[in-house]
Amino acid sequence: MTDECFGHPRLAAIYDHLDPDRSDLDAYVRMAEEFRAHRALDIGCGTGVFGLLLADRGIEVIGIDPAQASIDVARAKPGSERARWICGDARTLPALRVDLATMTANVAQAIVDPQIWQKTLQGAYEALVPGGRLVFETRDPARRAWEEWNRESSYSVTEIPNVGAVESWVQLIDVSWPLVTFRWTYVFAADGQILTSDSTLRFRERQEVERDLATHGYVVEEVREAPDGPGREFVFVARRPSFQ
């Protein structure tokens, strides 16, 4: 199942307009350059924003996402032919040989089922060439980010070309540790339609993630801070050993 904000065609079509500031991706672009990536797998690619940033730099990109509506948006963007877009997830990847795999933003935490999480790590490992890296982020549970997820701090009205005004806000629904569920609401002024999208994230401790990575053969090279959220997130850089 995919969240409606990614899987509903009307919501997928406005996703980029509602979240236009993607400076959070800058650090991932720099890491792709730092690691001299030539071929990248973007797991949970969504509407293709990050994949196209990499393609702009001459990197061969494979973007995969379970939401067909988001993949359709990615494929419709200018320059999308420079990347390969797949509707699916890391458990069912075709045979690949990439030197970088990524899970940006909420992707890693949105994989809440423990078995699917383990299979995702394994799928990424198998797609990497020896010496290739998996890079992803997850929020530090100690910062209790969900306490800020409310209508008062998130309400906005966005004017979208050919769509009109769209009201949106988020509201915390449930905390059943380690799962946190929240709901986005969208109101389209053009016709009054109200759509909602419920999302659940799994919060993992740093030691838990490091253990999971080691179980699948990764070497954790480094755990960085996200430049756009210092002290709030862990950014894992894990490598498939070169000797394999």
Side-chain angles (χ1 to χ4, degrees), residues 8-235:
H8 191 290
R10 192 173 193 185
L11 294 180
I14 65 171
Y15 183 83
D16 293 339
H17 296 279
L18 296 178
D19 189 17
D21 180 10
R22 295 312 309 271
S23 57
D24 60 301
L25 299 175
D26 293 346
Y28 286 90
V29 172
R30 289 194 296 270
M31 282 189 281
E33 296 171 341
E34 174 188 348
F35 303 141
R36 299 180 180 178
H38 298 287
R39 196 168 197 228
L41 168 66
D42 186 19
I43 300 168
C45 65
T47 58
V49 174
F50 180 58
L52 291 177
L53 287 174
L54 295 183
D56 285 342
R57 288 156 175 79
I59 297 173
E60 184 179 350
V61 177
I62 302 97
I64 187 165
D65 197 282
Q68 183 65 57
S70 291
I71 289 291
D72 290 342
V73 171
R75 286 177 174 155
K77 290 183 174 180
S80 64
E81 71 281 354
R82 294 171 298 167
R84 178 183 178 188
W85 308 104
I86 302 172
C87 185
D89 60 46
R91 296 174 296 168
T92 55
L93 287 168
L96 297 175
R97 289 181 60 80
V98 302
D99 45 25
L100 177 67
T102 59
M103 291 186 282
T104 64
N106 287 332
V107 172
Q109 287 189 259
I111 305 172
V112 298
D113 182 279
Q115 291 187 345
I116 296 177
W117 170 243
Q118 299 298 334
K119 290 179 179 178
T120 298
L121 294 179
Q122 186 62 32
Y125 185 93
E126 292 171 356
L128 289 169
V129 298
R133 293 175 175 86
L134 169 65
V135 181
F136 64 93
E137 67 186 66
T138 185
R139 289 180 175 87
D140 181 355
R143 294 303 298 265
R144 302 176 66 86
W146 58 88
E147 293 180 348
E148 302 172 6
W149 299 346
N150 55 67
R151 178 179 173 127
E152 291 72 22
S153 62
S154 62
Y155 179 84
S156 66
V157 180
T158 306
E159 287 287 344
I160 301 176
N162 302 316
V163 174
V166 178
E167 297 176 76
S168 62
W169 66 87
V170 69
Q171 190 70 46
L172 182 67
I173 299 299
D174 181 63
V175 179
S176 299
W177 195 252
L179 304 180
V180 176
T181 300
F182 53 96
R183 174 176 296 148
W184 277 97
T185 299
Y186 310 88
V187 182
F188 292 80
D191 58 9
Q193 184 178 23
I194 300 174
L195 296 175
T196 60
S197 177
D198 289 3
S199 301
T200 299
L201 301 181
R202 177 177 287 271
F203 282 76
R204 299 178 177 94
E205 299 289 348
R206 171 175 172 169
Q207 294 78 4
E208 177 187 357
V209 176
E210 291 178 336
R211 183 174 61 250
D212 289 343
L213 289 166
T215 297
H216 292 283
Y218 292 94
V219 174
V220 178
E221 286 189 329
E222 193 175 358
V223 181
R224 305 182 181 185
E225 286 192 351
D228 64 310
R232 293 175 174 269
E233 300 170 359
F234 304 120
V235 179

